[in-house]
Amino acid sequence: MLSAKSKNLTSLPQQKVVPGIRTLIFLILLLGLFLVFLLDLALGAVDIPINQVITILLGQEGEKTTWTSIIFKFRLPKALTAILAGAALGVSGLQMQTLFKNPLAGPFVLGISSGASLGVALLLLTVSTTAPTLLTNLGIISDFSLVIAASFGAASVLGLMLVVSRRVQDTMTLLILGLLFGYATSAIVSILLQFSSKERIQSYIMWTFGSFTGVTWQQLAILTPVICSGLLIALLQSKSLNALLLGESYARSLGLTVQKTRFVVISSASILAGAITAFCGPIAFLGVAIPHLCRSVFNTSDHRVLTPGVIIMGAILALFADLFSQILINQMVLPLNAITALIGTPVVTWVILQRNSKKSFPS
């Protein structure tokens, strides 16, 4: 029985896509990423010609000195943050969907986002309420303090989940516990909101909208190596994730240490999701939508293809979301999570319907 099932499932990672076509898809995606990156730098409250954007990026002087300032001080760090966020959330979502064999699993199913939200809520709704004058004078309530608070909250939940993952053998039990931790932290945030002032509630709500704008060059110097480390771990785990597609029992028969692999995958996904949440706020939907879209485009379940594909496609969609939030309404920036939901909902709906009709999602 096991061998027959295994024989059927082993065909999942190797599906009907000619390697040359797959390479062409990657080249098209890279070209699309470059074009969307340029558009994100060119369009906004002040439109800059694309040829001037390229000139400025090459280190030459633009026609207007203000254009150089706009690109290097504001738009370039924002675009680079969007690339990192899209790649990180997409890969984190891919790992969670494979680990839990759940097409609706996202990067925040383990409560990492809720932990980050709790850290920010404690800072904005408790500390800053009890000592607003002192904190303002010291400059403690700053963008970096929000990052530290969110990182501490996400790391706390991550540490708890890693300890639990060492003791719990069943993956579904781990998923349930992660959801419960998320509900518990959300409940604490709700209680804090109930006793906070309107100004502090407003600050917290603005953070929950998500944004790539507030990340500075100094913060990028921290965010970039963290995200790159998480992505590298995910790339190195591609074969292990392919084995998990066949089921934990079969993966063990292949010599895979399932508990160790699960620990590494959870660590990687949590680092990616936690870091982005800490620096950008909770960015919704990208982590769920991107893996589905990538599976549909490449027509494969092989993580050796999907992981780099998700990195590129995630960066493209994040840049699109940032671009649309800037240009849809003149002189107004829309909440990033509203744009990601508007993009992600039809994508996930269409892809799930397509994949269900083909019954090609690994289970």
Side-chain angles (χ1 to χ4, degrees):
M1 177 68 72
L2 179 60
S3 59
K5 182 180 179 182
S6 302
K7 184 178 179 180
N8 182 45
L9 286 173
T10 52
S11 63
L12 283 172
Q14 308 293 334
Q15 294 175 9
K16 301 175 183 178
V17 177
V18 180
I21 298 297
R22 189 171 289 160
T23 302
L24 179 61
I25 294 174
F26 271 115
L27 291 176
I28 293 173
L29 288 177
L30 287 172
L31 178 61
L33 175 60
F34 178 70
L35 293 176
V36 178
F37 176 72
L38 290 180
L39 286 175
D40 197 43
L41 296 180
L43 302 179
V46 176
D47 291 340
I48 303 173
I50 290 183
N51 65 318
Q52 288 298 304
V53 172
I54 296 174
T55 298
I56 292 170
L57 289 178
L58 292 176
Q60 302 175 20
E61 198 66 36
E63 291 182 3
K64 297 181 180 180
T65 56
T66 54
W67 289 351
T68 302
S69 178
I70 289 173
I71 288 177
F72 282 109
K73 288 186 178 179
F74 302 103
R75 293 187 183 177
L76 185 56
K78 176 171 62 71
L80 293 176
T81 301
I83 290 173
L84 291 173
L89 294 176
V91 170
S92 181
L94 174 66
Q95 291 176 308
M96 292 296 96
Q97 288 174 10
T98 300
L99 182 65
F100 295 115
K101 296 183 177 62
N102 187 333
L104 297 180
F108 302 129
V109 295
L110 298 178
I112 304 300
S113 176
S114 298
S117 299
L118 177 59
V120 171
L122 288 171
L123 177 72
L124 289 178
L125 306 179
T126 303
V127 177
S128 58
T129 302
T130 56
T133 304
L134 176 62
L135 292 174
T136 302
N137 291 337
L138 294 176
I140 294 178
I141 302 301
S142 62
D143 291 339
F144 232 113
S145 65
L146 293 180
V147 170
I148 294 172
S151 300
F152 180 78
S156 299
V157 176
L158 168 60
L160 184 60
M161 288 305 303
L162 291 179
V163 170
V164 171
S165 69
R166 288 288 193 182
R167 301 176 64 87
V168 175
Q169 298 294 327
D170 183 39
T171 301
M172 289 308 299
T173 302
L174 184 63
L175 173 61
I176 294 171
L177 289 174
L179 293 174
L180 290 176
F181 291 155
Y183 289 140
T185 53
S186 297
I188 297 173
V189 171
S190 298
I191 294 172
L192 292 174
L193 288 171
Q194 186 67 29
F195 294 98
S196 300
S197 65
K198 292 181 180 179
E199 293 77 11
R200 299 305 175 189
I201 293 175
Q202 177 85 14
S203 299
Y204 176 76
I205 291 175
M206 291 298 293
W207 178 80
T208 62
F209 285 163
S211 175
F212 302 136
T213 305
V215 180
T216 64
W217 285 111
Q218 291 80 4
Q219 293 174 344
L220 265 177
I222 299 173
L223 178 63
T224 302
V226 172
I227 296 302
C228 289
S229 300
L231 293 177
L232 179 60
I233 294 172
L235 288 168
L236 294 175
Q237 289 296 311
S238 295
K239 290 185 178 180
S240 298
L241 289 171
N242 283 344
L244 287 177
L245 287 178
L246 309 176
E248 292 188 1
S249 298
Y250 189 77
R252 288 190 182 95
S253 71
L254 295 177
L256 184 70
T257 306
V258 173
Q259 195 168 1
K260 179 182 177 181
T261 300
R262 187 171 59 183
F263 181 86
V264 174
V265 169
I266 290 173
S267 299
S268 171
S270 300
I271 288 170
L272 293 172
I276 293 302
T277 304
F279 282 84
C280 306
I283 309 297
F285 241 108
L286 291 180
V288 177
I290 293 166
H292 286 294
L293 186 58
C294 197
R295 288 189 192 95
S296 180
V297 169
F298 287 98
N299 193 29
T300 184
S301 299
D302 188 348
H303 288 78
R304 293 171 296 181
V305 176
L306 286 180
T307 303
V310 164
I311 289 173
I312 301 172
M313 198 170 293
I316 292 173
L317 286 186
L319 284 171
F320 261 123
D322 180 61
L323 181 61
F324 287 152
S325 70
Q326 304 282 336
I327 66 174
L328 282 183
I329 300 178
N330 288 333
Q331 306 301 320
M332 182 180 293
V333 179
L334 297 176
L336 183 63
N337 275 330
I339 302 300
T340 56
L342 289 174
I343 293 175
T345 300
V347 169
V348 172
T349 301
W350 178 76
V351 171
I352 288 179
L353 291 176
Q354 289 290 319
R355 297 193 70 84
N356 280 348
S357 65
K358 298 176 183 178
K359 297 183 180 180
S360 57
F361 189 87
S363 59

